[in-house]
Amino acid sequence: MLIHVVQRGEALWTISQRYGVSIEAIITANKLKDANRLAIGQELVVPSLYRYHTVRAGETLWAIARQYGVSLESIIQANHISNPSVLYSGTVLLIPPRTHTVQRGETLSQIAARYGTTVQDIARANQIADPNRIVAGMALMIPHPKPTIEVNAFTIDGGEKGAQQVREVGRYLTYASPFAYTMRADGGLNPPNDAAIIEAARSENVVPMMAITNFTYTDPGSRLAQTIFSNLQLQNRLLDHIVRTMHEKGYRGVNIDFENVYPSDRERYNQFLQNAVERLHREGYFVSTSLAPKVSGEQQGILYEAHDYPAHGRIVDFVVLMTYEWGYRLGPPQAISPVHQIRRVLDYAVSVIPRNKIFMGFQIYARDWVLPHVQGQEAETFSPQEAVERAIRYGAVIQYDYTAQSPFYRYVDSQGRTREVWFENARSAQAKFELVKEYQLRGISYWVLGYPFPENWALLEDNFHIRKR
């Protein structure tokens, strides 16, 4: 999969001709509503077996070619490299696909095993309708091997609306998590409208994961958490309700998202998790937690101090790092999940939590702020797809912040107000996927379904195999 940044005066036809890909394929991959209208700076995913590689310090072209199983000459040719001995860190290279000539008696299964890929990926890459019918001498393009990860997505829409969101992207998910059951001071639970979502998850071979939390939009939940943590009887009653709910509804695990916990309750929270894991593991369920994005063990603030990274890494089965919301809806305009900030969180996280227990959070929505920003004034939240359509509508030029690895633009609305939009696009999604590979993480957790972002799902499938449990 390639990423094309639209330049002034370009049309979809010229882009399709440049890459030798049909207009229809580009429209489908990006789910374009109007193929005749593009924004300057808009990014399109272009179906291709070529891959990107970002050069790291000390790498050589020979080592890169060996890593991908292609010839040195093919990389030199694809990138028009005049001096192969000079390679700069940060350079993005195009990596061509491998090729294989079918030998007499070979099967697609044997070829896939040889190259560490799948029959389905080879068949898709070469438009083979029947994988059992290949002939000697056929030249096949072999997709590059992909790491296998797990993918979770939360949904805040209940009932059939949330169920439809899960069905739309179910092929890309390991887990789906309706948000959320809110706990009560008596140890009970207030349920979301989750029955249809659970059924949709099962139909897509997706594991339904129960989510419980202590906060609502009107209550930060600090005192509620303290009430539960301070009383073993209430904890056991809460765990009884969780187990009963999972058994009755078909959940296979739980995500515990307790936020705004008083720093003084840190150890009590850890002990609650230990009790929860011991109880739920006996019942055959897994336990995960959601953690605020910390960059050190000494980070202060009610969002952070009670979230004990080493303890969570030791106690629970996996954690979800909430690596987003730097661009907060009530704060000043900025990238919502900037890569340079995520990297700081991951640097700390992998030092105290096993990498195979870490999900990196990824928000899939856009924000639009009025300028000049007034503290507390709420930004509008909508989808990345709407962000691009808004840029087209107002004639805005989309720019890219290379530090945050995030797109943004400004425009003047119908009331004459200047506004600033930060969102996600193909390049920013790819940058986050590269972090998952670099840090060898367990997976990605999306917050939240309901915001169309077709480029993300196309790139996710291009970068990873998704584990189904």
Side-chain angles (χ1 to χ4, degrees), residues 4-18:
H4 178 82
V5 182
V6 177
Q7 305 299 309
R8 187 179 301 275
E10 281 191 319
L12 211 54
W13 181 84
T14 57
I15 296 169
S16 73
Q17 292 295 301
R18 173 176 176 177

PDB file of all heavy atoms in Angstrom, residues 4-18:
ATOM      1  N   HIS A   4      -0.328   8.632  -1.256  1.00  0.00           N
ATOM      2  CA  HIS A   4      -0.100   9.751  -2.161  1.00  0.00           C
ATOM      3  C   HIS A   4      -0.670  11.021  -1.553  1.00  0.00           C
ATOM      4  O   HIS A   4      -1.821  11.055  -1.107  1.00  0.00           O
ATOM      5  CB  HIS A   4      -0.767   9.506  -3.516  1.00  0.00           C
ATOM      6  CG  HIS A   4      -0.606  10.657  -4.463  1.00  0.00           C
ATOM      7  ND1 HIS A   4       0.544  10.841  -5.205  1.00  0.00           N
ATOM      8  CD2 HIS A   4      -1.428  11.704  -4.752  1.00  0.00           C
ATOM      9  CE1 HIS A   4       0.423  11.943  -5.929  1.00  0.00           C
ATOM     10  NE2 HIS A   4      -0.757  12.485  -5.671  1.00  0.00           N
ATOM     11  N   VAL A   5       0.144  12.081  -1.550  1.00  0.00           N
ATOM     12  CA  VAL A   5      -0.292  13.388  -1.059  1.00  0.00           C
ATOM     13  C   VAL A   5      -0.702  14.225  -2.267  1.00  0.00           C
ATOM     14  O   VAL A   5       0.104  14.486  -3.166  1.00  0.00           O
ATOM     15  CB  VAL A   5       0.826  14.101  -0.272  1.00  0.00           C
ATOM     16  CG1 VAL A   5       0.318  15.441   0.255  1.00  0.00           C
ATOM     17  CG2 VAL A   5       1.309  13.231   0.879  1.00  0.00           C
ATOM     18  N   VAL A   6      -1.960  14.622  -2.286  1.00  0.00           N
ATOM     19  CA  VAL A   6      -2.502  15.353  -3.435  1.00  0.00           C
ATOM     20  C   VAL A   6      -1.850  16.729  -3.550  1.00  0.00           C
ATOM     21  O   VAL A   6      -1.787  17.490  -2.582  1.00  0.00           O
ATOM     22  CB  VAL A   6      -4.033  15.502  -3.304  1.00  0.00           C
ATOM     23  CG1 VAL A   6      -4.591  16.338  -4.464  1.00  0.00           C
ATOM     24  CG2 VAL A   6      -4.700  14.127  -3.262  1.00  0.00           C
ATOM     25  N   GLN A   7      -1.377  17.036  -4.759  1.00  0.00           N
ATOM     26  CA  GLN A   7      -0.759  18.330  -5.047  1.00  0.00           C
ATOM     27  C   GLN A   7      -1.744  19.231  -5.793  1.00  0.00           C
ATOM     28  O   GLN A   7      -2.743  18.760  -6.349  1.00  0.00           O
ATOM     29  CB  GLN A   7       0.503  18.132  -5.889  1.00  0.00           C
ATOM     30  CG  GLN A   7       1.519  17.182  -5.278  1.00  0.00           C
ATOM     31  CD  GLN A   7       2.038  17.656  -3.943  1.00  0.00           C
ATOM     32  OE1 GLN A   7       2.472  18.804  -3.802  1.00  0.00           O
ATOM     33  NE2 GLN A   7       1.984  16.793  -2.929  1.00  0.00           N
ATOM     34  N   ARG A   8      -1.451  20.504  -5.802  1.00  0.00           N
ATOM     35  CA  ARG A   8      -2.323  21.457  -6.482  1.00  0.00           C
ATOM     36  C   ARG A   8      -2.498  21.063  -7.958  1.00  0.00           C
ATOM     37  O   ARG A   8      -1.524  20.768  -8.658  1.00  0.00           O
ATOM     38  CB  ARG A   8      -1.754  22.873  -6.386  1.00  0.00           C
ATOM     39  CG  ARG A   8      -2.679  23.960  -6.932  1.00  0.00           C
ATOM     40  CD  ARG A   8      -2.047  25.346  -6.787  1.00  0.00           C
ATOM     41  NE  ARG A   8      -1.750  25.655  -5.404  1.00  0.00           N
ATOM     42  CZ  ARG A   8      -2.622  26.166  -4.548  1.00  0.00           C
ATOM     43  NH1 ARG A   8      -3.863  26.410  -4.955  1.00  0.00           N
ATOM     44  NH2 ARG A   8      -2.275  26.424  -3.296  1.00  0.00           N
ATOM     45  N   GLY A   9      -3.726  21.042  -8.427  1.00  0.00           N
ATOM     46  CA  GLY A   9      -4.016  20.749  -9.829  1.00  0.00           C
ATOM     47  C   GLY A   9      -4.159  19.269 -10.156  1.00  0.00           C
ATOM     48  O   GLY A   9      -4.524  18.922 -11.283  1.00  0.00           O
ATOM     49  N   GLU A  10      -3.883  18.389  -9.204  1.00  0.00           N
ATOM     50  CA  GLU A  10      -3.988  16.959  -9.486  1.00  0.00           C
ATOM     51  C   GLU A  10      -5.438  16.483  -9.457  1.00  0.00           C
ATOM     52  O   GLU A  10      -6.256  16.966  -8.665  1.00  0.00           O
ATOM     53  CB  GLU A  10      -3.186  16.141  -8.474  1.00  0.00           C
ATOM     54  CG  GLU A  10      -1.698  16.105  -8.749  1.00  0.00           C
ATOM     55  CD  GLU A  10      -0.980  15.080  -7.882  1.00  0.00           C
ATOM     56  OE1 GLU A  10      -1.321  14.975  -6.686  1.00  0.00           O
ATOM     57  OE2 GLU A  10      -0.073  14.407  -8.407  1.00  0.00           O
ATOM     58  N   ALA A  11      -5.712  15.508 -10.307  1.00  0.00           N
ATOM     59  CA  ALA A  11      -7.016  14.860 -10.341  1.00  0.00           C
ATOM     60  C   ALA A  11      -6.809  13.372 -10.123  1.00  0.00           C
ATOM     61  O   ALA A  11      -5.696  12.847 -10.253  1.00  0.00           O
ATOM     62  CB  ALA A  11      -7.716  15.114 -11.679  1.00  0.00           C
ATOM     63  N   LEU A  12      -7.893  12.676  -9.818  1.00  0.00           N
ATOM     64  CA  LEU A  12      -7.794  11.245  -9.549  1.00  0.00           C
ATOM     65  C   LEU A  12      -7.270  10.489 -10.764  1.00  0.00           C
ATOM     66  O   LEU A  12      -6.535   9.508 -10.629  1.00  0.00           O
ATOM     67  CB  LEU A  12      -9.169  10.705  -9.134  1.00  0.00           C
ATOM     68  CG  LEU A  12      -9.174   9.522  -8.165  1.00  0.00           C
ATOM     69  CD1 LEU A  12      -8.365   9.831  -6.921  1.00  0.00           C
ATOM     70  CD2 LEU A  12     -10.599   9.156  -7.788  1.00  0.00           C
ATOM     71  N   TRP A  13      -7.602  10.956 -11.957  1.00  0.00           N
ATOM     72  CA  TRP A  13      -7.153  10.268 -13.168  1.00  0.00           C
ATOM     73  C   TRP A  13      -5.629  10.314 -13.285  1.00  0.00           C
ATOM     74  O   TRP A  13      -4.992   9.302 -13.580  1.00  0.00           O
ATOM     75  CB  TRP A  13      -7.792  10.916 -14.406  1.00  0.00           C
ATOM     76  CG  TRP A  13      -7.392  10.227 -15.674  1.00  0.00           C
ATOM     77  CD1 TRP A  13      -7.951   9.117 -16.225  1.00  0.00           C
ATOM     78  CD2 TRP A  13      -6.315  10.596 -16.541  1.00  0.00           C
ATOM     79  NE1 TRP A  13      -7.296   8.755 -17.390  1.00  0.00           N
ATOM     80  CE2 TRP A  13      -6.287   9.653 -17.597  1.00  0.00           C
ATOM     81  CE3 TRP A  13      -5.364  11.624 -16.528  1.00  0.00           C
ATOM     82  CZ2 TRP A  13      -5.358   9.715 -18.635  1.00  0.00           C
ATOM     83  CZ3 TRP A  13      -4.430  11.677 -17.561  1.00  0.00           C
ATOM     84  CH2 TRP A  13      -4.432  10.735 -18.589  1.00  0.00           C
ATOM     85  N   THR A  14      -5.030  11.482 -13.031  1.00  0.00           N
ATOM     86  CA  THR A  14      -3.569  11.592 -13.144  1.00  0.00           C
ATOM     87  C   THR A  14      -2.873  10.761 -12.065  1.00  0.00           C
ATOM     88  O   THR A  14      -1.822  10.176 -12.305  1.00  0.00           O
ATOM     89  CB  THR A  14      -3.122  13.064 -13.024  1.00  0.00           C
ATOM     90  OG1 THR A  14      -3.584  13.604 -11.779  1.00  0.00           O
ATOM     91  CG2 THR A  14      -3.677  13.897 -14.160  1.00  0.00           C
ATOM     92  N   ILE A  15      -3.489  10.685 -10.884  1.00  0.00           N
ATOM     93  CA  ILE A  15      -2.907   9.876  -9.806  1.00  0.00           C
ATOM     94  C   ILE A  15      -2.975   8.398 -10.169  1.00  0.00           C
ATOM     95  O   ILE A  15      -2.010   7.654  -9.978  1.00  0.00           O
ATOM     96  CB  ILE A  15      -3.643  10.157  -8.478  1.00  0.00           C
ATOM     97  CG1 ILE A  15      -3.431  11.616  -8.062  1.00  0.00           C
ATOM     98  CG2 ILE A  15      -3.156   9.209  -7.382  1.00  0.00           C
ATOM     99  CD1 ILE A  15      -4.323  12.067  -6.916  1.00  0.00           C
ATOM    100  N   SER A  16      -4.091   7.964 -10.720  1.00  0.00           N
ATOM    101  CA  SER A  16      -4.236   6.555 -11.108  1.00  0.00           C
ATOM    102  C   SER A  16      -3.242   6.186 -12.207  1.00  0.00           C
ATOM    103  O   SER A  16      -2.670   5.096 -12.199  1.00  0.00           O
ATOM    104  CB  SER A  16      -5.668   6.265 -11.561  1.00  0.00           C
ATOM    105  OG  SER A  16      -5.935   6.836 -12.827  1.00  0.00           O
ATOM    106  N   GLN A  17      -3.019   7.121 -13.137  1.00  0.00           N
ATOM    107  CA  GLN A  17      -2.055   6.860 -14.208  1.00  0.00           C
ATOM    108  C   GLN A  17      -0.632   6.778 -13.659  1.00  0.00           C
ATOM    109  O   GLN A  17       0.172   5.950 -14.109  1.00  0.00           O
ATOM    110  CB  GLN A  17      -2.143   7.974 -15.257  1.00  0.00           C
ATOM    111  CG  GLN A  17      -3.436   7.981 -16.041  1.00  0.00           C
ATOM    112  CD  GLN A  17      -3.581   6.734 -16.881  1.00  0.00           C
ATOM    113  OE1 GLN A  17      -2.757   6.428 -17.733  1.00  0.00           O
ATOM    114  NE2 GLN A  17      -4.646   5.982 -16.627  1.00  0.00           N
ATOM    115  N   ARG A  18      -0.328   7.604 -12.695  1.00  0.00           N
ATOM    116  CA  ARG A  18       1.024   7.623 -12.127  1.00  0.00           C
ATOM    117  C   ARG A  18       1.374   6.281 -11.484  1.00  0.00           C
ATOM    118  O   ARG A  18       2.499   5.791 -11.625  1.00  0.00           O
ATOM    119  CB  ARG A  18       1.125   8.735 -11.089  1.00  0.00           C
ATOM    120  CG  ARG A  18       2.430   8.728 -10.311  1.00  0.00           C
ATOM    121  CD  ARG A  18       2.523   9.896  -9.357  1.00  0.00           C
ATOM    122  NE  ARG A  18       3.729   9.833  -8.536  1.00  0.00           N
ATOM    123  CZ  ARG A  18       4.089  10.760  -7.661  1.00  0.00           C
ATOM    124  NH1 ARG A  18       3.345  11.848  -7.510  1.00  0.00           N
ATOM    125  NH2 ARG A  18       5.197  10.622  -6.957  1.00  0.00           N
TER     126      ARG A  18
END
